[in-house]
Amino acid sequence: MANSEQTWGITPPISSVLPTPVENHATNQLLEELRRQNTFETPKETKKRESILADLQRMANEFVRRVAKEREPQNEVLIRDARGEIFTYGSYCLGVYGPGSDIDTLVTAPRYVTRDDYFKYFPSLIEEMAPEGAVTDLTVVEDAFVPIIKFEYWGISIDLIFSRIATLKQFPPHGELKLTNNEYLRGLDDRELRSLNGTRVTEEILNLVPEQSTFRLALRAIKLWAQRRAIYANIIGFPGGVVWAMMVARVCQLYPKAAGATIVSKFFQIMKVWQWPIPVQLKPMEDGPLNVRVWNPKSDSYHLMPVITPAYPQMCATFNITHSTKAIIQRELERGAELTDKIRAGKLAWKDLFVKHTFFTTDHKYYLAVIATSTTKEAHKIWSGYVESKVRVLVGDLERVASIAIARPFNKGYDRQHRVKNDQQTLEVQNGSLAYRVKDDDSDDDKPKAKENGIDSKTEVKTEIKTELNTENPEVKAENGEPMNISFKSDPGDPNVKMDNIPSVTSLGTKIYTTTHYVGLELAEGKCIPFFRFTYIIRAASRTDNQFIVIPNLSSITC
C-alpha cells in the first residue's frame, strides 16, 4: 500500500481531503498569531540549545570512559570505545519548544555503568566540563520516582535522567542507537524503564503522525491554549505536554491531509464529544519481551480520561485526572469548540482562542491555599515538589465533601521569599501573609514554578492582593486577576494544633521560602457555604530544616 493511502492509528481516517485555499489561509493566520504570541524562539537561542546538547554529549562520553577505567583498567579497547548517548524527549524532541522551555534529556550508557555511577560522577562532571559560570542551581534527586539531576545551563533548565542499556557492552557509532527497539528494555529495573519511556513515547508519537510539520503547528496552538487556560500540568491532575501531544496526534491520524488550522478546529470538535472512558490510542496494544503490566481497559476502568502511550509497555498517561479536573477540561474543550467555530466563520481571530484564564478573577468565589514553607532554598526545591505532588490527593479528598461540587487546582505554585524578624512574623508567613515578602535571589517576584513554550508564566498572573481570608469572613475576592493574600487562623479548640511545635525564628533563620498552591471551589447546588477549620501539619526534613504545610482539616468541613 502506498504511503499516501496508509491507515494511521487504529481506525481508518474520517477524511483524507486535501486542504482548501481557505483552510491554508487560516493556517497562515494561525502561524502568524503563534509568532505574535512568542511561541517560537530565535535561531540564536536554538543554536544555544544545540551547543548545550553537544556539551552534554561530551560529558556523557567522558562519564562512561571514567567508569570503564574504574571497572576494567587494563581493557584498552573498552576504554577507547567507551561512550554514552544523549537523547531528548518532551517539547524539544517533539519540535514544539519555545522561549523558556526546558530540555528534557536522557543519558544512556552501556551495561557496566550503574545508576550509582551516574550520581557519583555526573554532577561533578557537569561542573568540571561546563564553561565557568554556565551551570547554576544544580540539584540531585536520587530517590525520585525517576531519579534526576536538575540544573540551569546558560539560563536554560535541564532535566537530566539516566538509564543503562543492559544488552549492550559497547554502543554503536553516535546516532545509530535506536531506543524504539524493545529488546533494549531487557534487564532494566523499573526506574530505568521509566527513564527510557519518555524518549520512546516521544519518538513513537512522531512516527505515528502523517505530517510532522502539521502536527507540530497544531500542537503549538493546543499547548498555548492549554497553558493560557491553566489546564496544563500533569502533576496537578491536568494533562501534561505528552498527553496533549497524543490527543493532537490522534486527530492528525483521523485527518491525515488536513492543514494545521483544520486540525486545531477538529481537535475541539472531536475531543469535546469523546466518549470517555474509551481511550485515546495511537496504535494497537502490542506484546513485548518483558513480564510487565500494561494498560487494560477492564482492570483500569477507573481511569476517567485514558490516553494510552504508544510505546511498549503501553500505559495510561492520564491516571491522575480527577473528577474535578475532568469537568474543567471538558468545559474548556467546549469553549474552544465554540471559539474555533467563530474563527472559521470569520467572526473572531485566533488571538481570541488564546485569551488567558480567569481563575483568580471571575471563575470562583471561594479559594483554598496550600502553603509549603522551608528555611533553605535547597531543601525547599525538594519539599515544595513533594507538596505539589500531593495537591491532587487533596483535590480528591475535597471532591468527597458533600457541599463541594468541584475543587479546581491552579496549575502552578507560586514561589515567594520572605524576611522575618520575630516569631510572630514567622507565624504570619506560615499562615499565608505576604507582608514580609522580599525579592528573591533572581530579582523576580512571585514566580510560578513552570515556564514553557514561550510563555513566561509569571506575567500571566501577578500577586499583590490586599484582601485576607479568615474564618470570620470566608468570602474571597480577587483583584486584577491575582492570587489572594490569604491568612488562615489556627483553631485553638482543636487539640491537634500545638502551637509549641512551631519553631522559633532563631531556628528558622531570617529568610523563609514558600510555595503556595491555590484551589478554586465550586459549591454543590443548594449547599451552604462550607466553614473551614485550619490546622498545621508540621514535618521536619532534617534536624536543621523545619518545613511546614498548611492545609484544611477535611474532617471539620461543615455548614
Side-chain angles (χ1 to χ4, degrees), residues 244-260:
W244 291 119
M246 289 187 287
M247 294 170 73
V248 172
R250 184 67 187 117
V251 177
C252 289
Q253 291 179 336
L254 295 173
Y255 297 88
K257 297 181 181 178

Side-chain angles (χ1 to χ4, degrees), residues 428-485:
E428 290 174 21
V429 170
Q430 292 166 356
N431 284 344
S433 172
L434 302 182
Y436 310 103
R437 180 168 53 90
V438 295
K439 289 188 176 183
D440 67 16
D441 298 334
D442 300 317
S443 299
D444 289 325
D445 288 338
D446 295 346
K447 297 192 299 184
K449 299 179 70 176
K451 181 170 67 171
E452 186 173 348
N453 204 36
I455 305 170
D456 190 345
S457 300
K458 67 176 177 288
T459 64
E460 289 191 300
V461 184
K462 298 179 182 178
T463 50
E464 188 62 40
I465 292 297
K466 309 300 182 183
T467 310
E468 291 189 352
L469 170 68
N470 56 45
T471 55
E472 297 174 354
N473 181 16
E475 182 173 352
V476 178
K477 296 182 180 179
E479 302 171 3
N480 302 324
E482 301 165 346
M484 296 67 59
N485 175 8

Side-chain angles (χ1 to χ4, degrees), residues 287-304:
D287 294 327
L290 308 179
N291 183 23
V292 295
R293 186 179 181 277
V294 298
W295 185 81
N296 185 298
K298 294 182 179 179
S299 59
D300 296 319
S301 58
Y302 58 91
H303 292 152
L304 301 178

Side-chain angles (χ1 to χ4, degrees), residues 518-539:
Y518 297 94
V519 181
L521 303 178
E522 295 182 18
L523 302 185
E525 186 175 355
K527 297 293 183 179
C528 57
I529 298 174
F531 173 78
F532 296 92
R533 284 195 314 181
F534 290 90
T535 62
Y536 291 100
I537 291 182
I538 302 176
R539 304 181 188 275

Side-chain angles (χ1 to χ4, degrees), residues 383 498 500-503 536-540 546-549:
W383 172 242
K498 299 185 181 300
D500 292 340
N501 289 336
I502 305 298
Y536 291 100
I537 291 182
I538 302 176
R539 304 181 188 275
N546 296 291
Q547 304 169 328
F548 306 84
I549 175 174

Side-chain angles (χ1 to χ4, degrees), residues 370-395:
V370 178
I371 308 168
T373 307
S374 308
T375 58
T376 68
K377 190 173 185 178
E378 293 71 22
H380 193 65
K381 289 178 182 178
I382 299 172
W383 172 242
S384 62
Y386 174 79
V387 172
E388 183 180 35
S389 72
K390 300 302 178 184
V391 170
R392 65 182 179 86
V393 179
L394 171 62
V395 168

